[in-house]
Amino acid sequence: MSGSEPQVGHEAGDELEGRSFTGQSVRRFEDRRILTGEAEYIHDVTPPNCLEMALVRSVHAHADIVDVDTSAAEDHPDCECVLTIDDIEESYNPQPCGLEGYEEWSLADGKARFVGEPIAVVVAADRYLAEDMADLVDVTYETLDPVVDGMAAREAETLVHEDAGSNVADNERISFGDPDAAFADADHVVEGTYEWGRVSGVPLETAGVVARYDEDGDSFHIDCNIQLHTLVDDTVYETLGRPADRVELNVPADVGGSFGTKIAIHRYCNLAAMAAEQLGQPVKFVEDRIENLQGGDMHCSERTYEMRLACDDDGTMRGLDVWFVDDFGAWPHYPVNQVLKPLSVLTNAYAIDDVVYEYDLVLTNKTAQTAYRGFGVDPHQYALEMLVDDAARELGVDPTEFRRRNLVTPDQLPYRLPSGNVYDSGDYPGAMDRMDEILDENERCEGGLLDPAAVEQRREEGYYRGTQTAVLIEPGVSGSDWTDRQRTDDEALANRSRDDVAELPEHLRAEVQPDGTVLAWLATDSAGQGHQTLVAQLLADELGLLPSDIEVDYLDSVEAPTEYGSAASRMAVMLSGASVGVGEQLRERLAELAADHWAVEREAVDYRDGRVERGGTDDALSLADLAALDDEGRTRVSYDYEHPATGLPEFDDALTSKYPVYPTAAYAVNAPIVEVDVETGEVEVLKFYTLRDCGTMLNPMIVEGQAHGGIAQGVGAALMEEFGYDQDTGQPQAITMFDYLLPSTKNMPDIEMEHTVHPSPFTETGAKGVGEGGMIDAPAAIACSINDALEPLGVTADRLPFTAHRARKRLREAEE
Amino acid sequence: MSIEDTPHSGERPTREVAVTVNGEAVTREVEPRLKLSDFLRNECGCRGVRVGCEHGVCGACTVSLDGDIVKSCLLYAVQAEDRDVETVEGLAEDGKLHPVQEAFHEEHALQCGFCTSGFVMATKSLLEENPDPDREEIKEGLADNICRCTGYQNIYRAVDRAADKLAADLEPVRDDGEEGA
Ligand code: FES
Ligand code: FES
C-alpha cells in the first residue's frame, strides 16, 4: 500500500532514460516559489496608490432596509468613498443569476436577505481605516421573520423573494424506465430520510480582488482569485455594463485553494471595480474569515433526502426513487445545476434501470450556495448508500453481499445509466474483493483493528468499531452544455437535436523561446492542483524535452477564449488531450520550418528528441535554431481540444437532453475503520483504507495528494463541519474557525491507499478525472462504517455531520 | 458619490517599533493596532506570512519570535519590539532551500501552498525541540496548523524526511544513498 511506500519522485530536470514523464511522480515546479514565500497570491497584489475596501453588512437575516445613513462616514477625512445601492443602480446592472427571474444587485436592494449581505461599500487608504469608516455607516432595519429551514421553506408564508411567489425556485421530476411498475412489482420497498449538513470547501485563502479602471479605454483590469475566470466572467462584465473584452479578469498563478467555492465571488469583483471606477484609483478587497464564513456566497449543499428502494426477496435492486430538497440560501447563484449532477451517477455502481429523480431547490435567508468539490454528488452517494444499508437490514441480508449482488459487472462496461451517462471502465466487484483481502490481511486478524476479539473487548468497554465497504463512483470531466438545462425552456429541450449541443474545448498555447525552451499558456486557472507541472510533463513527452525545458504561464479572461476550466475533475483529461494536440502541431510546424530552410520536401525531415533532423545527413536544427529562423510566428501554436464526449455516440442521448455528461468514472472502495464512544458519542476514524482507480495516473504523486485532501474534507463533512443557523433568528452559528471545524492532524487518521488501473477508453491518455474523489466517497463510507459499528444498537448515521451531540441523541433515542 | 480627495486626519497615535526580521533590523513608525502579521507582510516585505483567519486558528501566519513559534495575527507589531522574528523568507541560504523546505517539496507536502509557510515554520520548531518525533508527536506538534489540501499525510512524511536530512547534516559521514543533505 502506498501509505507505507511513498512514490519515488523525480525533479523536473531529471532524465528518465527513455521512459516517458507522463505517469511519473515529477515533483512540482510550483513548490519553490511557495516554499520561499515568493509566490504571489491575491493578498500580495498591491499596485501603487491602491486603496482598500470594507463592506457594511447586514446584521439581520431578513429585514427591510429603511435607511442607510452614510453622512458620518462621508464627512470623515479618512473616507475616500461610500457606495450604496442608489449609487450602483444608477450606473451599473444587476448581477447575472443562476436562474431566470431573479434580479440581484451587488448590494442589498432595500431588503437584506441574509446575515452578512453587503449593504454599503466604504473605501479608505487601508483596511484598518476602511473598517473604521464602515463602522460609521448607520443602517436602520425593520426586521422580518426569517426563513431558515429548507423543508419548511417550501410551505412558508414568508417569502425570501416576494416577486417569485414561492421559496421553491426550481423543481424537476424526471423519470427513467418504468419506476411505477418496478415499485409495484417488487417484494419490498424500503424508505429512509437522510440529511446532509450545510458544508463548504473553506479554502485557507479567502476571496480577494484588486480592481483597476482605465479611463481612456473605459476598461477594467481585475486581479482576483475567482475560479473559472473565462467561464463566469459574464457575472462581472455584464454587471459592470461593459463588453467582455473591456473587463480583464486575471487570476494569479497561485490561489490558496478553491474547491469550487471561489466560482461565485463576483460580488466582490463588481464592488471593487465600481469603487475603482468612481475613484480612479486601484481598489483592493480581501475578505476576512468571518465575512467568508457568514456572508461569502460560498456555502454548498444542504439537503434532506427521502429515498426509496424497491428490491426483491433474492436481494435484487429493482427501482430507485430519489427526492430531495436543497437549501440554496438567499439567491440561486450559478451553479444551480449541482442539483442535477447526481444524474451522472444516478444509481452509483448498482445496475438499476427504473428510477425517478425529483428535487426542490429552495431559497432561505442564508448566504448563497456555490460549488464545492463533488458538486452535489457527495450527498447523493451518501443518501443512496445509507438507503442500501437500511434495505440490507430490512431484508436481513449482509450489506456487503447485498451490494456485491447488484454491482455493474466488468462485462457490462461501458455501462449506460438510465439517465444517459456512461461509465467507462473498471472492475467494481474485483475492487470489493481486493478490499476484503486487504482487510483480512491487515486488520481482521490477530493484532488488527478488526480482530474479532479486540472488537468484542472494545465493545465491552463502550467503544463500538466497524467498517463497511462500497464502490463509490466519481463522475469526471463534465461537459458544459448541460449546465444551463435549468435555464432552457421545456419546448426547446424537447426539440433539441445532437447538432444543438455546444461544448467548450480546452485551449492551450505554446511557443518556442529564443533559448530553445518552450513557453506554454494555460487558459484555465489553478488553485494548487499542479497544472504547470502536469502540462510540462505532458509536453515534454510530446516534444522530446525535459519538463524543466517547459515553462507554463496563464492567460487572462480576455486573452483566453471562453472555456470551462478547472472544475468537475476535468483537467487531467482535458489537458492531456490539449497537450497531445499542441505537441502534434508544434512538431509539424517546426518540421515544415526546417524543410523550408533546407529547401527540401517536408518528408525529408523528421522531428526527433527536441530537434529536426534531415534524413540521410547529419544536419539538424535545435529548437533554438528554429526559433532564430522563425520570423513569421511559425514556432507558435494553439490548440483547442474538444470535449471527449462530443465524439462518442454513446453520449448522444444525454447530450441531446441536456443531462449531465461525465465520460470518466473513477471509483474507490473505502474501508474507514471507525470507533464510536457510545458514552460521549464521539466518532474516531482509526485508519482509512482506500482502493482507488482513476485510470492512467499522469502523476501518481499528484493523484494521491488529491485523494488525501478529498478524504480529509470528507472526514470533515461526515463528522465535524456544518454551517448551523439559529432556527428562530436566522443568525449563523459558524462564523469563525472555532465554530466551523476543519479537520486538523488530530482528526485525520493515517490513510492507506492502493491503486488499480483500468484506463479510460474515452480519453487521450486513459486518464480519468480525479479531483473530487475523496470528498465524494469518504462521507458515504464513514457513514456506512458508523452504521456497521452501531448495528448492535440499531443506530445509523442518518444525518451528517454525525457529531458527538447527534450521536448521543440517536443513541438515547434507540435506548427508549 | 465619491468625496473630495482629503488629506488623512493623521490624528491616530503611532509608535516607533524596532524589530529584527530575518537578521535585519527594521524600524518603523506604526499604529499600535497594527497586527504583527500585517507589519511583516506590508512593512518588511515578508509576504510569505499568510493570513487565513486572523483569529489564531489556521496557523498560516506562524512565525518564530525569539525562537518560539507564534501566530503573528494574534500579536501587534509593537509587541515584537526589540525581538527577533524569523519567517519563511529567512530559511534558504544562498538560494539553497532549508532541509525542511526541501522535504516539503520532495514529499509533495503542499498543494495550494497557503498553509505552507506556517507548516514549514512549525515543523522547523518541532524538529528543533524533538529531532526524531514519532507519528503521534508529529500530529501533536502540528495540531495548531490547518491544511485544507493535503489531508496531512504527505506533511507527516515530509517531517520524517526533514528529520532525516537534519540528522544527516549533523553526521556528515552518514551516507544512505538518498537525497544527499
Ligand atoms: S491567520 Fe493567524 S492563525 Fe490564521
Ligand atoms: S496546501 Fe492548501 S492549505 Fe495546505
Side-chain angles (χ1 to χ4, degrees):
Chain A
M1 309 220 82
S2 66
S4 44
E5 290 169 37
Q7 296 285 339
V8 180
H10 300 283
E11 293 301 330
D14 290 353
E15 301 266 2
L16 286 184
E17 285 155 24
R19 278 178 302 154
S20 70
F21 293 101
T22 307
Q24 303 296 326
S25 291
V26 175
R27 292 177 181 144
R28 302 193 325 163
F29 292 18
E30 292 86 347
D31 294 353
R32 191 182 167 92
R33 61 179 189 250
I34 292 171
L35 284 160
T36 53
E38 286 154 27
E40 186 176 68
Y41 296 86
I42 191 69
H43 71 169
D44 301 314
V45 178
T46 310
N49 297 322
C50 189
L51 301 169
E52 291 205 67
M53 170 172 105
L55 297 170
V56 177
R57 293 174 179 267
S58 173
V59 297
H60 296 292
H62 200 190
D64 285 323
I65 299 170
V66 180
D67 183 47
V68 182
D69 180 356
T70 61
S71 54
E74 282 179 306
D75 290 346
H76 197 285
D78 286 336
C79 181
E80 301 283 347
C81 138
V82 181
L83 298 178
T84 64
I85 181 69
D86 299 335
D87 302 316
I88 71 171
E89 270 179 348
E90 209 171 275
S91 314
Y92 305 101
N93 298 322
Q95 306 183 140
C97 217
L99 294 172
E100 309 292 352
Y102 291 84
E103 186 177 282
E104 182 187 21
W105 289 86
S106 304
L107 294 173
D109 62 343
K111 170 161 140 161
R113 292 184 173 86
F114 60 94
V115 174
E117 183 168 14
I119 293 175
V121 168
V122 185
V123 180
D126 65 39
R127 177 64 181 244
Y128 291 75
L129 289 177
E131 288 188 20
D132 290 346
M133 298 305 108
D135 286 345
L136 298 178
V137 175
D138 193 13
V139 182
T140 310
Y141 303 91
E142 212 158 88
T143 58
L144 302 165
D145 285 339
V147 181
V148 185
D149 178 71
M151 286 287 271
R154 299 161 58 239
E155 316 287 336
E157 269 173 36
T158 309
L159 297 179
V160 179
H161 297 271
E162 277 90 11
D163 294 352
S166 163
N167 291 325
V168 179
D170 184 40
N171 153 281
E172 192 167 6
R173 180 183 169 86
I174 313 173
S175 215
F176 304 100
D178 191 351
D180 289 344
F183 275 87
D185 285 358
D187 298 329
H188 304 268
V189 172
V190 180
E191 44 183 79
T193 301
Y194 312 105
E195 289 176 89
W196 175 272
R198 196 171 188 86
V199 292
S200 185
V202 189
L204 215 56
E205 180 202 45
T206 55
V209 53
V210 179
R212 280 171 258 198
Y213 174 70
D214 172 45
E215 203 175 341
D216 296 340
D218 186 31
S219 62
F220 293 88
H221 178 90
I222 302 175
D223 293 295
C224 59
N225 54 14
I226 202 166
Q227 185 182 342
L228 306 185
H229 68 292
T230 77
L231 186 72
V232 301
D233 54 349
D234 60 332
T235 57
V236 181
Y237 67 72
E238 285 191 15
T239 308
L240 296 175
R242 305 300 206 287
D245 62 1
R246 279 199 266 140
V247 181
E248 274 172 16
L249 297 187
N250 182 52
V251 180
D254 293 295
V255 171
S258 177
F259 316 109
T261 65
K262 287 175 180 155
I263 292 176
I265 63 164
H266 47 282
R267 185 195 304 279
Y268 297 141
C269 299
N270 293 329
L271 292 172
M274 293 168 188
E277 182 181 1
Q278 300 307 321
L279 286 162
Q281 250 175 287
V283 173
K284 177 170 180 170
F285 175 75
V286 178
E287 204 185 29
D288 74 24
R289 182 57 68 184
I290 293 171
E291 297 182 284
N292 170 254
L293 295 174
Q294 76 167 8
D297 299 317
M298 66 77 177
H299 287 182
C300 196
S301 309
E302 176 177 0
R303 292 186 182 172
T304 301
Y305 275 92
E306 288 175 8
M307 269 198 191
R308 297 192 305 145
L309 187 67
C311 32
D312 283 341
D313 285 330
D314 67 357
T316 308
M317 297 178 188
R318 296 279 307 278
L320 176 66
D321 177 349
V322 179
W323 181 89
F324 67 98
V325 165
D326 198 346
D327 177 347
F328 261 68
W331 295 95
H333 277 179
Y334 174 81
V336 283
N337 52 311
Q338 52 193 314
V339 292
L340 292 172
K341 182 174 172 186
L343 292 171
S344 66
V345 287
L346 184 57
T347 60
N348 189 20
Y350 309 111
I352 308 172
D353 294 334
D354 302 304
V355 186
V356 57
Y357 185 90
E358 182 176 9
Y359 66 84
D360 279 352
L361 187 166
V362 305
L363 302 180
T364 60
N365 292 114
K366 301 176 185 170
T367 187
Q369 276 194 27
T370 185
Y372 175 29
R373 203 173 202 169
F375 202 56
V377 164
D378 32 351
H380 176 84
Q381 300 290 47
Y382 156 68
L384 177 52
E385 291 301 326
M386 287 296 297
L387 180 66
V388 169
D389 266 1
D390 280 341
R393 285 191 183 124
E394 209 162 310
L395 266 62
V397 295
D398 174 66
T400 306
E401 274 321 301
F402 182 46
R403 288 180 163 90
R404 225 185 277 262
R405 186 183 169 94
N406 291 283
L407 287 177
V408 171
T409 53
D411 58 307
Q412 289 174 293
L413 291 165
Y415 176 79
R416 185 188 184 283
L417 286 167
S419 43
N421 195 33
V422 180
Y423 294 158
D424 50 358
S425 60
D427 178 357
Y428 307 149
M432 289 281 277
D433 293 346
R434 176 62 197 140
M435 184 51 85
D436 254 342
E437 275 172 32
I438 292 170
L439 291 174
D440 286 347
E441 278 165 26
N442 297 286
E443 303 296 351
R444 291 187 189 124
C445 55
E446 215 184 313
L449 290 169
L450 297 172
D451 173 352
V455 172
E456 193 47 49
Q457 155 102 39
R458 288 297 281 166
R459 201 174 283 171
E460 276 164 25
E461 295 162 5
Y463 297 90
Y464 282 59
R465 267 186 200 173
T467 196
Q468 175 63 55
T469 57
V471 177
L472 291 151
I473 295 184
E474 172 189 4
V477 200
S478 178
S480 55
D481 182 69
W482 70 278
T483 61
D484 69 351
R485 179 184 167 91
Q486 291 145 298
R487 287 192 286 198
T488 311
D489 71 58
D490 289 348
E491 203 179 320
L493 263 179
N495 295 323
R496 266 167 68 91
S497 77
R498 187 64 184 68
D499 295 335
D500 298 323
V501 178
E503 276 301 327
L504 291 171
E506 181 65 34
H507 180 81
L508 186 64
R509 277 180 212 173
E511 183 181 61
V512 181
Q513 301 298 289
D515 63 357
T517 60
V518 172
L519 177 58
W521 289 270
L522 288 169
T524 183
D525 40 70
S526 306
Q529 304 95 328
H531 295 140
Q532 289 175 307
T533 304
L534 196 59
V535 167
Q537 270 179 273
L538 290 159
L539 282 181
D541 285 338
E542 288 301 316
L543 299 172
L545 301 172
L546 294 176
S548 54
D549 295 329
I550 293 157
E551 195 187 328
V552 182
D553 205 344
Y554 292 86
L555 300 172
D556 70 33
S557 67
V558 174
E559 296 165 318
T562 295
E563 62 144 48
Y564 200 139
S566 300
S569 305
R570 285 166 52 92
M571 295 330 284
V573 169
M574 298 305 280
L575 289 176
S576 294
S579 298
V580 169
V582 158
E584 261 170 26
Q585 287 210 16
L586 194 55
R587 289 194 308 267
E588 185 55 30
R589 299 283 284 279
L590 293 170
E592 286 168 6
L593 180 61
D596 289 353
H597 174 69
W598 285 316
V600 297
E601 295 293 304
R602 163 68 187 84
E603 287 67 38
V605 308
D606 275 318
Y607 184 96
R608 186 172 298 133
D609 297 337
R611 55 194 219 150
V612 181
E613 299 170 353
R614 183 172 170 190
T617 74
D618 288 339
D619 292 349
L621 291 167
S622 69
L623 293 192
D625 298 334
L626 290 160
L629 290 175
D630 176 33
D631 45 22
E632 300 164 41
R634 295 168 75 181
T635 55
R636 181 184 179 118
V637 300
S638 76
Y639 185 79
D640 294 286
Y641 173 65
E642 288 298 333
H643 187 268
T646 54
L648 296 164
E650 287 93 329
F651 292 93
D652 283 358
D653 290 348
L655 283 167
T656 309
S657 20
K658 278 199 183 224
Y659 291 141
V661 169
Y662 284 76
T664 71
Y667 57 96
V669 174
N670 294 333
I673 300 174
V674 305
E675 186 172 86
V676 187
D677 177 339
V678 296
E679 198 181 347
T680 64
E682 266 168 270
V683 181
E684 189 181 353
V685 184
L686 302 174
K687 207 177 227 189
F688 198 108
Y689 284 92
T690 182
L691 173 70
R692 313 187 73 84
D693 194 320
C694 62
T696 308
M697 288 189 276
L698 302 179
N699 183 325
M701 179 189 85
I702 289 178
V703 166
E704 294 204 344
Q706 288 289 319
H708 289 152
I711 289 169
Q713 289 179 320
V715 169
L719 301 176
M720 305 164 66
E721 298 175 28
E722 184 169 27
F723 291 107
Y725 279 82
D726 183 280
Q727 292 298 311
D728 297 326
T729 62
Q731 287 292 330
Q733 293 165 324
I735 61 167
T736 70
M737 283 183 168
F738 292 105
D739 330 297
Y740 191 85
L741 300 176
L742 302 176
S744 76
T745 54
K746 292 290 188 111
N747 315 102
M748 273 310 290
D750 285 347
I751 298 173
E752 298 287 342
M753 193 182 305
E754 187 173 297
H755 302 278
T756 56
V757 177
H758 289 85
S760 173
F762 296 157
T763 67
E764 197 70 55
T765 48
K768 301 184 183 190
V770 76
E772 299 162 285
M775 179 58 201
I776 288 175
D777 52 65
I782 292 169
C784 293
S785 296
I786 294 170
N787 297 346
D788 182 57
L790 297 180
E791 202 266 341
L793 302 175
V795 169
T796 62
D798 59 356
R799 176 159 188 190
L800 296 188
F802 201 61
T803 56
H805 172 74
R806 283 193 184 126
R808 283 198 307 275
K809 183 160 179 278
R810 288 287 185 262
L811 287 159
R812 271 199 308 274
E813 286 165 359
E815 264 174 29
E816 280 157 14
Chain B
M1 177 184 298
S2 85
I3 58 178
E4 285 293 288
D5 256 7
T6 343
H8 296 156
S9 58
E11 280 160 17
R12 289 174 308 282
T14 57
R15 248 188 66 181
E16 189 178 273
V17 56
V19 187
T20 306
V21 179
N22 296 322
E24 282 183 33
V26 180
T27 306
R28 295 278 186 283
E29 189 74 26
V30 301
E31 281 189 63
R33 67 174 173 174
L34 184 68
K35 289 177 181 233
L36 179 59
S37 47
D38 287 338
F39 174 76
L40 292 168
R41 289 180 45 73
N42 301 332
E43 302 291 331
C44 308
C46 297
R47 68 188 196 193
V49 177
R50 305 288 166 206
V51 174
C53 70
E54 294 181 294
H55 47 251
V57 181
C58 76
C61 64
T62 303
V63 301
S64 160
L65 186 66
D66 286 345
D68 293 326
I69 51 164
V70 296
K71 288 174 169 163
S72 59
C73 72
L74 293 184
L75 288 167
Y76 295 107
V78 292
Q79 291 174 284
E81 170 78 19
D82 286 339
R83 301 175 76 178
D84 242 310
V85 178
E86 189 180 37
T87 71
V88 82
E89 282 85 355
L91 299 188
E93 277 180 35
D94 301 328
K96 179 161 167 43
L97 296 182
H98 185 277
V100 172
Q101 293 170 309
E102 281 180 352
F104 269 67
H105 167 61
E106 287 158 6
E107 292 293 352
H108 186 37
L110 58 151
Q111 291 182 29
C112 81
F114 209 73
C115 70
T116 306
S117 307
F119 268 100
V120 166
M121 296 310 292
T123 299
K124 183 169 171 277
S125 158
L126 168 67
L127 294 177
E128 279 161 6
E129 278 160 35
N130 178 358
D132 188 22
D134 65 22
R135 188 54 63 91
E136 278 316 304
E137 289 166 335
I138 296 175
K139 289 187 178 182
E140 192 64 45
L142 299 180
D144 287 337
N145 291 64
I146 297 286
C147 174
R148 194 55 165 160
C149 301
T150 65
Y152 306 105
Q153 308 297 307
N154 291 349
I155 292 178
Y156 303 151
R157 289 182 193 156
V159 178
D160 289 339
R161 194 177 188 115
D164 288 349
K165 282 171 181 279
L166 289 164
D169 267 353
L170 293 175
E171 304 165 54
V173 281
R174 182 179 145 187
D175 180 16
D176 56 10
E178 258 273 61
E179 307 303 324

